[in-house]
Amino acid sequence: MGKTTLARSLAAGVDGPVTTFDLEDPTDLARFADPKLVLEPLEGLVVIDEVQHSRDLFRLLRVLVDRPDNRATFLVLGSADPGLLRQSSESLAGRIAYHALDPFRLDETGTAPELVDRLWLRGGFPRSFLASDEADSVAWRAAFVTTFLTRDLGQLGVTVPATTMRRFWTMVAHCHGNRWNAAELGRSLGVSAPTANRYLDALVDALVVRRLTPWFENVRKRQVKAPKVYLADTGLLHSLLDIDSERELLGHPRCGASWEGFAIHEAVRILDAAWDRCHYWATHTGAEIDLFTVRGGERIGVEAKRTSAPAMTRSLHTALTDLRLDRAFVLIPGEARFRLHERVEAVGLARACAEGLA
């Protein structure tokens, strides 16, 4: 479900009064010409959807929640506008909690083989994943990309023409799972490297692209310093790559990279790790591990391989030594689980979702 549907579901279970505003509704937006007059007398749960249309609201919310006799709780929904998030954190420091609504993951859709394949192909946006057939899913994602580029990015303060940003986003899709090279993409797009970095920042801030930073440590080998980029949803990745079916996906040159990104996103969730505390690691001699994080003092590495017969590689041996890994996992399709080394397990993605990485 989307954020609005989720908010309605939560409101339905609340005891007491619930008041809902949708600031994309012209009537509600007009009422917020004087928001204090509207909000001050309310009690119970107050839901304000699409809050980005009333950017000055957070200062008023601070005043309202600080009232000694305040009886209202505010559930505020909106876009991932970095300026808006910054304003809310400044105005409501210590009074606000944030929750990012990610696309569906395997723990929500189920781990039956057909559901895993559907989530990988269609991505986790509810209307794409739940579409009655592939054609409807493809059409919904195409419409989403167009709306996101022509409307949503503008609301986030991005002034780049939609045509330019579509070309750029498509180029990023072709780099999915690879190291970021701003100069190379900038040349292809006809812009400077700093401009390409600014465009990437806009997509990262909008939560449609993930940037995985490299891990640096005082080891003897020269390490790669460029981040990796992943589209946050494989369904959108496949739309931008013009992949409309499982058959096309399995025969596409980016199939392995697509599955790697799918598995890495699941691994971050399974490990209950924050993205800003996850990294990849690579050296200029070719050693690399797809995901590295420290959890509870334990150093954990994850590799994603679309194969049924993984094996210990030189990279894994190097990572075990240089990163001093306590444990490492090789995520593969299916439900198998077996040991490759005393500190390395191969685990099917569905099995990892059900049992965890422990």
Side-chain angles (χ1 to χ4, degrees):
M1 62 180 70
K3 58 182 173 58
T4 303
T5 305
L6 179 60
R8 288 173 182 163
S9 177
L10 291 172
V14 171
D15 292 329
V18 176
T19 308
T20 301
F21 301 97
D22 181 353
L23 299 190
E24 286 198 336
D25 183 327
T27 302
D28 283 350
L29 187 58
R31 295 172 68 188
F32 270 65
D34 189 344
K36 184 176 182 182
L37 186 66
V38 176
L39 297 176
E40 192 170 33
L42 297 179
E43 298 181 359
L45 178 64
V46 180
V47 181
I48 306 173
D49 200 359
E50 305 299 348
V51 72
Q52 68 271 14
H53 295 295
S54 183
R55 289 173 171 267
D56 295 329
L57 186 61
F58 292 106
R59 292 175 184 172
L60 172 62
L61 291 179
R62 182 187 64 79
V63 173
L64 296 179
V65 298
D66 282 350
R67 293 175 298 178
D69 60 344
N70 175 51
R71 298 180 182 178
T73 300
F74 296 92
L75 176 59
V76 179
L77 313 173
S79 64
D81 182 341
L84 196 67
L85 294 175
R86 186 164 50 251
Q87 184 181 1
S88 66
S89 63
E90 291 170 354
S91 301
L92 291 166
R95 305 168 180 87
I96 189 169
Y98 296 94
H99 179 73
L101 191 59
D102 292 325
F104 285 155
R105 295 294 174 209
L106 284 175
D107 62 328
E108 298 168 313
T109 64
T111 56
E114 65 274 12
L115 294 176
V116 175
D117 290 344
R118 184 196 297 180
L119 184 62
W120 176 33
L121 175 63
R122 297 185 179 185
F125 283 90
R127 291 186 180 177
S128 176
F129 178 79
L130 298 171
S132 59
D133 54 37
E134 293 304 333
D136 282 350
S137 177
V138 168
W140 186 88
R141 281 178 274 136
F144 176 88
V145 168
T146 298
T147 302
F148 177 81
L149 291 169
T150 58
R151 188 195 69 175
D152 295 348
L153 277 182
Q155 292 181 350
L156 297 179
V158 178
T159 58
V160 182
T163 302
T164 301
M165 190 56 83
R166 180 185 285 272
R167 288 177 56 207
F168 177 77
W169 199 6
T170 302
M171 291 178 184
V172 175
H174 283 277
C175 296
H176 177 89
N178 288 346
R179 295 166 198 161
W180 173 245
N181 187 327
E184 182 178 333
L185 260 75
R187 283 193 299 270
S188 299
L189 197 62
V191 300
S192 66
T195 298
N197 280 326
R198 181 166 58 85
Y199 290 176
L200 183 68
D201 286 343
L203 295 179
V204 171
D205 287 342
L207 305 181
V208 296
V209 171
R210 297 283 193 186
R211 185 165 37 205
L212 193 63
T213 56
W215 174 262
F216 298 108
E217 203 162 37
N218 187 22
V219 295
R220 289 171 296 174
K221 295 181 174 63
R222 292 177 59 222
Q223 296 169 85
V224 173
K225 298 181 180 179
K228 274 188 173 184
V229 291
Y230 294 95
L231 267 69
D233 181 77
T234 51
L236 296 183
L237 168 70
H238 300 152
S239 288
L240 291 165
L241 295 178
D242 291 325
I243 297 172
D244 294 342
S245 67
E246 184 176 4
R247 181 178 178 181
E248 291 179 20
L249 173 58
L250 295 178
H252 197 277
R254 303 303 296 160
C255 176
S258 170
W259 198 87
E260 175 188 314
F262 179 60
I264 290 300
H265 277 81
E266 289 294 335
V268 172
R269 181 196 59 77
I270 293 167
L271 290 169
D272 193 24
W275 269 93
D276 60 0
R277 301 190 68 178
C278 292
H279 310 272
Y280 84 98
W281 176 79
T283 70
H284 286 282
T285 58
E288 184 171 347
I289 196 158
D290 294 328
L291 184 69
F292 170 74
T293 191
V294 179
R295 190 183 68 168
E298 199 174 31
R299 302 166 73 89
I300 300 173
V302 178
E303 278 279 287
K305 300 292 184 186
R306 186 167 169 76
T307 177
S308 59
M312 283 296 296
T313 62
R314 181 177 296 180
S315 281
L316 269 173
H317 281 293
T318 303
L320 285 172
T321 301
D322 289 1
L323 291 177
R324 305 188 309 280
L325 296 179
D326 295 293
R327 292 183 296 154
F329 301 91
V330 181
L331 292 179
I332 59 176
E335 299 184 348
R337 188 162 196 159
F338 51 92
R339 193 165 290 280
L340 297 173
H341 178 276
E342 62 180 358
R343 286 182 283 160
V344 182
E345 274 191 285
V347 189
L349 188 57
R351 186 87 170 262
C353 181
E355 299 178 357
L357 294 174

